[in-house]
Amino acid sequence: MSQELELFDAVFPELVTFLTEKGLKDPEIADASKWFKEVIEYNVSYGKKNRGISVITSYILLVPNSSDEELHIARVLGWCIEWLQAFFLVADDIMDASSMRRGRPCWYKRKNVNNIAINDSFYMEACIYQILKHYCKGKPYYVDMMELFHETTMQTVHGQCLDLITAPTDGSVDFSLFTVERYDAIVKWKTAFYSFYLPVAVAFYMAGITDEKSHSHAKVILLKMGHFFQVQDDYLDCYGDPQVIGKVGTDIEDNKCSWLVVTALGRVNEEQRQILKENYGRQDSDKVAQIKLLYKDLEMERLYREYEDSSYYQLLTLIDQLNGSLNKDIFINFAKKIYKRNR
């Protein structure tokens, strides 16, 4: 993995140069291109890169004797997913009024950035299609890739909308919306499609796998995995070490429809429900402490550990049932990456 990460990282400067070099030489837009170069370097290259790397590892398992040229394109396409992630996160941080991302100030919190970050997020989305056109035009999978990234963006936007209207930032809390069904929908559309199905689907199309059955079976497995991943994320937001996860968790004060609060609502008595109602979704450290104390009383850490173990083994069973003629290591590798993760 460390060697592949080095090879993956080595592609990034090439893409930055491709996207900015022409603009930097044009006096009319040179200032904008200089700005956008900083946007890219600050926001795209500092994540864990699991999504991007998963394109390459999946493609190699599908096409073991792939050429150096195709491996290079697989790395480029992996970076397209990292660009998509950066586009989502810059916009999401503004909408959530977040302060930290990946251990550093959110982009919009930087000096002289503010709402310019909205335009910067649009720019990073546009970069994806410039990269696809430059590296994939003429390839048999070019149109499939274009449609896949557009469709994934639409899916994620739907999920973001569900998240925002379920947990508005105006301070109102409506627990009637915090259902298991709504939580599952938010996770599926906001996270699972782009984080899990997209990297494998990119590898599939590169490998010439276009049949509906293969994509459908992979989607069932990977959306389930995405749900597992988001529950972990919700847990880490509350219980993770900020120095490890790279941010201070704020789901409680931000009124998020997280796995913890949805599960808690299914277990509380009337007195405990009142504690939730009075303290959840409030920008007050004492009220956040009250919620965390309630979570302790409800044994949420134990419930999460039970969920994590049972979901992991359910995933392995699902992989055995649905992988068909595909190399099941594609899916097992994903599952192993996220099982017992702490960031």
Side-chain angles (χ1 to χ4, degrees), residues 55 59 70 73-78 80-81 84 128-129 131-133 135-137 139-153 197-210 215:
V55 174
Y59 181 67
E70 288 301 301
I73 292 176
R75 294 183 182 105
V76 167
L77 291 172
C80 284
I81 299 178
L84 187 72
I128 296 164
Y129 301 100
I131 294 169
L132 288 176
K133 181 180 179 181
Y135 286 89
C136 300
K137 190 173 183 180
K139 297 287 186 182
Y141 47 78
Y142 177 51
V143 173
D144 286 325
M145 291 296 177
M146 292 276 287
E147 292 181 347
L148 178 63
F149 274 92
H150 280 303
E151 180 67 16
T152 303
T153 301
Y197 174 64
L198 176 60
V200 174
V202 167
F204 275 17
Y205 284 126
M206 277 198 71
I209 300 170
T210 59
H215 281 262

Side-chain angles (χ1 to χ4, degrees), residues 48 50-51 191 196 225-237 240 244-245 304-305 308 334-343:
K48 296 185 287 291
N50 289 336
R51 295 166 182 82
T191 300
F196 288 86
M225 210 174 290
H227 187 281
F228 177 41
F229 177 87
Q230 186 58 54
V231 172
Q232 290 178 313
D233 234 34
D234 293 349
Y235 172 81
L236 291 172
D237 184 272
V244 176
I245 65 175
Y304 168 75
R305 296 299 176 196
E308 185 177 42
F334 247 129
K336 286 182 176 178
K337 281 180 188 176
I338 61 176
Y339 183 53
K340 298 292 185 185
R341 70 187 179 98
N342 64 356
R343 54 176 297 197

Side-chain angles (χ1 to χ4, degrees), residues 159-173:
Q160 179 73 347
C161 179
L162 287 176
D163 187 19
L164 292 169
I165 63 178
T166 304
T169 58
D170 62 2
S172 59
V173 181

